[in-house]
Amino acid sequence: MMRFADENPGLAPDTPEARRYNRIHRWLEFSDFALGLAFLLVLLLSGWNVVFRDWAYRAALQNYTLAVFFYVFLLMFGGKLLGVGLDYYGFRLERRYQLSIQKTRSWLWDETKGFLVGLVFAGIVAEVLYFTIRQSPQHWWLISWGVFMVLFVVLAQVAPLILFPIFYKFEPLENEDLKQRLVKLSEGAGTKVRGIYKWHLSEKSRKANAALTGLGATRRIILADTLLDHYSPEEIEAVLAHELGHHVHKHILKSIFVQAVVTLLGFWAANYVLHLSIEQWGMFDTLSDFSNLPLLVLVSTILSIALMPAMNAYSRFNERQADRYAFKAIRSVQPFISSMNKLAAQNLAERTPARWVEWLFHSHPAISRRVAAAEAWKLRLAGDSRI
Ligand SMILES: [Zn+2]
């Protein structure tokens, strides 16, 4: 691989700055996770989960449904209070490395909105859970799973219309040249994407990004203005082709299917542990005692951490597939390579992270490997045309 090093910055060693930034970032995520885990464990071991439940009941005047919601609020508020220091540090980190220009006030507003949106989601999830537990103690985990999958599909559909605009502005892309390129690309693929949207990311970040979002009628490609403003039309086309690759290979639908299997496993495990906690450990009297919520969250957190390497491997597989689609769809892979290199520099990404780091934490293949794949593709094409 090193033979490309001279001609291709994608395979040059990472700068100390990028290494440092990513190391701190990883520690931050790890601390955040450890803090959350500690919070849940302390709640359960100290009996505060029960004290919170009694507070929630009293505040709700003994109304079960309302008490569940207050309980969710108490847990989330406590968690936020504990974690806000780390969140602020994360915000300062982006500023320190000049990856963000967001003002403190705007950040605070985003945090508030994020908390409220999270509260609405967690509230709905908890109400569905305890409602089904009360209606069907035997099969609650299967029924809840079914309800969640429906909610999940609905959410995937409405997220681009309702959820994303809470945090960012979007508008249909005006650039005719780019639109023409996408139409051509998607015609070549025999498919149709409903639209390209400009994502106003620059108010909050200097990083560039692009994504395929939505389902059905809301399916769309979003391109950050930080990308649109600094990349050549050919480079943006390469990014579009990659996103179109996700579309052609139906990655959103497949991910929902994978998510469904994982969630089913999670619900089964939650039910199993809840029964243990009642029958073996004597922690609770009934399934519907919602002071067991921290235990449910603990189970799902541990499970999602345990599955993270597998889920990331699956995501990297999809990303490689989308890359290969892009190589085929664009005339030359050179703009793809240069867009990758620009992206790495702009986002202060590690081009060549340690293997174990990529394996555990990265949803995308390392930039160096994506560039090397493009180079290999180019060489293979050159080889083919010589024959
Ligand atoms: Zn992708």
Side-chain angles (χ1 to χ4, degrees):
M1 279 217 290
M2 282 314 289
R3 68 202 152 106
F4 298 122
D6 297 335
E7 57 199 83
N8 187 346
L11 294 180
D14 286 307
T15 61
E17 200 192 11
R19 288 245 178 251
R20 210 177 311 124
Y21 166 73
N22 284 285
R23 202 166 45 232
I24 299 174
H25 205 269
R26 269 196 298 280
W27 267 108
L28 204 57
E29 280 180 359
F30 176 76
S31 312
D32 199 40
F33 160 71
L35 196 67
L37 220 54
F39 177 52
L40 293 168
L41 282 172
V42 167
L43 273 178
L44 288 166
L45 296 175
S46 68
W48 269 85
N49 60 327
V50 179
V51 176
F52 276 14
R53 180 200 61 197
D54 295 343
W55 285 359
Y57 257 127
R58 222 170 302 149
L61 305 173
Q62 309 302 318
N63 178 302
Y64 184 87
T65 308
L66 197 58
V68 167
F69 180 75
F70 284 161
Y71 194 69
V72 169
F73 174 80
L74 280 174
L75 287 189
M76 284 192 65
F77 193 70
K80 191 74 208 174
L81 274 186
L82 276 177
V84 75
L86 281 179
D87 292 346
Y88 183 70
Y89 184 80
F91 162 67
R92 295 304 305 177
L93 183 71
E94 299 289 296
R95 290 276 301 259
R96 182 157 25 113
Y97 282 88
Q98 276 141 30
L99 293 166
S100 162
I101 47 166
Q102 194 178 16
K103 297 270 186 297
T104 307
R105 180 190 284 198
S106 156
W107 174 77
L108 276 173
W109 180 222
D110 273 359
E111 287 287 299
T112 311
K113 286 189 288 188
F115 180 79
L116 292 175
V117 169
L119 183 64
V120 169
F121 280 118
I124 292 173
V125 165
E127 295 293 355
V128 168
L129 270 183
Y130 288 100
F131 180 79
T132 48
I133 283 180
R134 295 225 287 181
Q135 298 304 316
S136 172
Q138 282 288 311
H139 305 293
W140 72 271
W141 59 283
L142 265 179
I143 300 169
S144 293
W145 172 74
V147 174
F148 281 1
M149 285 335 295
V150 172
L151 286 179
F152 199 67
V153 170
V154 171
L155 186 67
Q157 268 185 49
V158 300
L161 303 181
I162 297 174
L163 205 56
F164 303 164
I166 297 177
F167 300 96
Y168 296 100
K169 268 189 284 189
F170 292 88
E171 61 184 354
L173 191 72
E174 299 287 345
N175 189 325
E176 279 306 319
D177 173 50
L178 278 180
K179 275 204 272 194
Q180 281 308 316
R181 282 172 192 260
L182 178 77
V183 168
K184 255 197 164 149
L185 279 174
S186 31
E187 276 172 358
T191 175
K192 209 170 157 189
V193 174
R194 309 278 173 158
I196 321 177
Y197 284 74
K198 181 175 174 175
W199 168 15
H200 289 262
L201 184 61
S202 62
E203 300 159 3
K204 294 178 184 172
S205 177
R206 289 193 172 154
K207 290 180 176 176
N209 213 337
L212 175 73
T213 66
L215 259 187
T218 64
R219 172 67 46 91
R220 59 190 60 185
I221 290 175
I222 56 176
L223 292 172
D225 53 357
T226 43
L227 189 126
L228 289 167
D229 293 346
H230 303 294
Y231 291 61
S232 74
E234 288 73 23
E235 286 167 345
I236 298 172
E237 187 179 43
V239 174
L240 276 176
H242 169 92
E243 299 305 332
L244 199 63
H246 284 305
H247 174 72
V248 169
H249 288 290
K250 299 192 168 34
H251 284 158
I252 292 189
L253 214 61
K254 287 178 187 168
S255 298
I256 290 179
F257 180 75
V258 170
Q259 204 65 50
V261 175
V262 170
T263 313
L264 184 61
L265 181 70
F267 271 113
W268 176 84
N271 185 48
Y272 183 76
V273 173
L274 270 195
H275 275 284
L276 275 185
S277 73
I278 294 170
E279 289 144 24
Q280 304 283 327
W281 309 332
M283 288 172 76
F284 312 100
D285 292 333
T286 59
L287 279 175
S288 61
D289 176 358
F290 55 82
S291 68
N292 59 21
L293 186 58
L295 185 62
L296 286 183
V297 179
L298 190 68
V299 170
S300 70
T301 307
I302 290 173
L303 199 68
S304 59
I305 289 295
L307 288 173
M308 200 166 74
M311 296 300 271
N312 278 335
Y314 173 65
S315 169
R316 291 195 301 273
F317 172 81
N318 284 347
E319 294 301 331
R320 282 195 296 273
Q321 215 171 26
D323 275 354
R324 275 196 301 275
Y325 179 83
F327 301 161
K328 267 184 265 176
I330 53 182
R331 245 162 301 144
S332 148
V333 294
Q334 209 51 50
F336 176 88
I337 295 172
S338 61
S339 72
M340 282 292 128
N341 289 329
K342 269 191 186 176
L343 214 58
Q346 191 176 355
N347 294 1
L348 212 56
E350 278 179 305
R351 296 167 204 266
T352 48
R355 253 305 192 190
W356 68 271
V357 168
E358 186 183 355
W359 194 74
L360 285 178
F361 303 116
H362 286 206
S363 60
H364 287 62
I367 299 257
S368 64
R369 270 182 261 285
R370 297 178 75 177
V371 168
E375 295 282 6
W377 180 274
K378 195 165 74 180
L379 285 179
R380 225 176 66 195
L381 272 192
D384 283 352
S385 62
R386 270 203 299 273
I387 294 167

